[in-house]
Amino acid sequence: MGGRTVRVSNPDKVYFPEREITKRQVVEHYVAVADPLLGVLRDRPTHLKRFVDGVTGEWFYAKRLPKGAPDYVETVQVRFPSGRPADVLCPTEPAVLAWAANLGTFDFHPWPVRRPDVDAPDELRIDLDPQPGTDFADAARVAATLREVLTEAGLRGWPKTSGGRGIHVMVPIRAEWDFVAVRRCVIAIGREVCRRMPAEATVDWWKEERGERVFLDFNQAARDRTIASAWSVRGTPRATVSFPLRWEELPDAEPDDFDVLTAAGLLAERGDAHAGLHDEPAGLETALEWVERDQRDHGLGDMPYPPEYPKMPGEPKRVQPSKSRADTTGKTVS
């Protein structure tokens, strides 16, 4: 690949028993989609989700560069929410994809930044996560409203299947804001979607409050939170692939149609639906106005961060409502 030879060990090892898909076929998938995938990953800090014993075994995230990496594998230093630095994989050429696949990598999880500026996201990502009782079709309906909201904010979304029941919408932005501002914009955009379809969409962080709705997961925009990239193999029995789509394709899409055995052929037939994604990045000025409006007019500020994050300024308490209790003054305390 790219003039380099990548050795694949134990290529006939079965990774997906239900369909008898082997390690060799996973590597071949990544060779076939290397061009668009490298366009997604190039110069981005990237975590690897590794299934060294296949989909039925234990998996883990490799956030630091694995030992023994060849010389052509590059890194970039990032800081985790704890403040600790780490040298993280930074893909720059096709051979890196095959090398990672040989390590048992199914998913590539890139940060929404590119070196050298790893503190300023150039993508706003929205994860539509169907809750129990909802499915991909529900997520597609919410995505249609999300598209309208993004357009009103002067933004353009690019949808893809998650590889499961959900949908990811990638929004190219100018790299002029930090993670905190981008996350607040995702919250404001999500709230606007929920105002338009409250019975179908939610931004409630606590699962007990979500009901049978599609959750717009704003915390995927927090530092060090990532989603599987387009073209990534997912850890599902069918070996599904997160597949880029055009908006007109989304309502009739079947996520199970996109897998290790079909993705390369569909790419050759349809082309890359996300080609040109970063040609015209937009600004967050309108979305930031919505952030201020929500606080001023509706008393809606920040939302809770995940539990492993340090307490953030202006963040509400991190306790689910059912575990809160009222003090003697009637105010709710943790």
Side-chain angles (χ1 to χ4, degrees):
M1 299 186 69
R4 302 189 189 277
T5 299
V6 180
R7 181 178 179 273
V8 179
S9 60
N10 199 9
D12 296 323
K13 183 176 184 178
V14 175
Y15 269 180
F16 295 89
E18 183 176 296
R19 304 185 68 195
E20 298 184 348
I21 293 173
T22 65
K23 181 179 183 179
R24 181 197 308 271
Q25 289 170 297
V26 172
V27 175
E28 289 173 343
H29 160 77
Y30 281 122
V31 171
V33 303
D35 284 349
L37 176 56
L38 193 58
V40 171
L41 302 179
R42 189 188 303 276
D43 290 327
R44 295 191 185 279
T46 300
H47 302 321
L48 306 177
K49 190 174 182 180
R50 295 173 58 186
F51 293 74
V52 294
D53 293 317
V55 72
T56 59
E58 296 291 326
W59 59 265
F60 63 94
Y61 280 109
K63 292 192 173 185
R64 291 174 171 80
L65 186 71
K67 294 181 179 179
D71 292 342
Y72 60 80
V73 177
E74 299 186 28
T75 64
V76 63
Q77 187 173 93
V78 299
R79 288 192 177 274
F80 296 132
S82 65
R84 290 180 295 109
D87 292 325
V88 177
L89 171 67
C90 189
T92 57
E93 60 176 279
V96 174
L97 309 178
W99 165 79
N102 183 55
L103 296 179
T105 298
F106 284 4
D107 314 27
F108 292 89
H109 281 251
W111 284 40
V113 299
R114 293 187 194 268
R115 66 177 185 183
D117 191 350
V118 294
D119 294 312
D122 69 345
E123 286 181 351
L124 180 151
R125 301 169 176 175
I126 302 177
D127 180 8
L128 304 179
D129 183 12
Q131 300 301 288
T134 62
D135 56 20
F136 182 86
D138 297 301
R141 285 191 292 273
V142 173
T145 298
L146 171 61
R147 184 188 186 189
E148 296 173 358
V149 171
L150 289 172
T151 299
E152 292 175 19
L155 302 169
R156 180 182 178 185
W158 301 66
K160 68 183 183 72
T161 67
S162 69
R165 297 182 305 123
I167 293 170
H168 299 155
V169 179
M170 321 299 286
V171 182
I173 59 174
R174 299 192 303 272
E176 299 175 4
W177 296 272
D178 62 14
F179 281 95
V180 172
V182 172
R183 177 179 170 276
R184 290 299 303 271
C185 287
V186 173
I187 293 172
I189 290 167
R191 283 171 169 157
E192 185 60 30
V193 172
C194 295
R195 290 187 186 101
R196 301 183 187 195
M197 47 190 334
E200 297 177 75
T202 179
V203 290
D204 288 316
W205 176 242
W206 304 109
K207 291 183 179 181
E208 64 188 35
E209 295 185 323
R210 294 177 191 169
E212 294 186 3
R213 294 180 288 179
V214 175
F215 174 50
L216 288 84
D217 189 353
F218 53 86
N219 270 331
Q220 294 293 46
R223 176 185 290 272
D224 191 36
R225 281 296 181 104
T226 58
I227 58 177
S229 74
W231 310 106
S232 275
V233 179
R234 305 310 309 273
T236 64
R238 285 190 54 82
T240 51
V241 167
S242 180
F243 198 84
L245 295 172
R246 298 172 179 86
W247 282 107
E248 60 269 21
E249 297 170 330
L250 192 59
D252 298 321
E254 294 290 342
D256 283 351
D257 289 344
F258 313 113
D259 60 40
V260 165
L261 303 181
T262 63
L266 291 168
L267 171 62
E269 176 186 332
R270 301 181 181 184
D272 179 10
H274 284 193
L277 188 153
H278 280 278
D279 288 352
E280 297 181 5
L284 294 178
E285 290 84 357
T286 298
L288 288 168
E289 290 176 4
W290 293 355
V291 171
E292 294 180 3
R293 176 201 62 188
D294 283 347
Q295 182 75 62
R296 181 187 65 246
D297 298 344
H298 305 290
L300 297 173
D302 202 355
M303 300 281 279
Y305 274 78
E308 68 272 19
Y309 281 65
K311 186 70 174 179
M312 300 295 287
E315 179 191 1
K317 63 182 181 179
R318 296 181 195 172
V319 56
Q320 62 194 72
S322 62
K323 293 185 177 180
S324 295
R325 62 179 175 82
D327 66 12
T328 56
T329 66
K331 296 178 180 179
T332 300
V333 298
S334 61

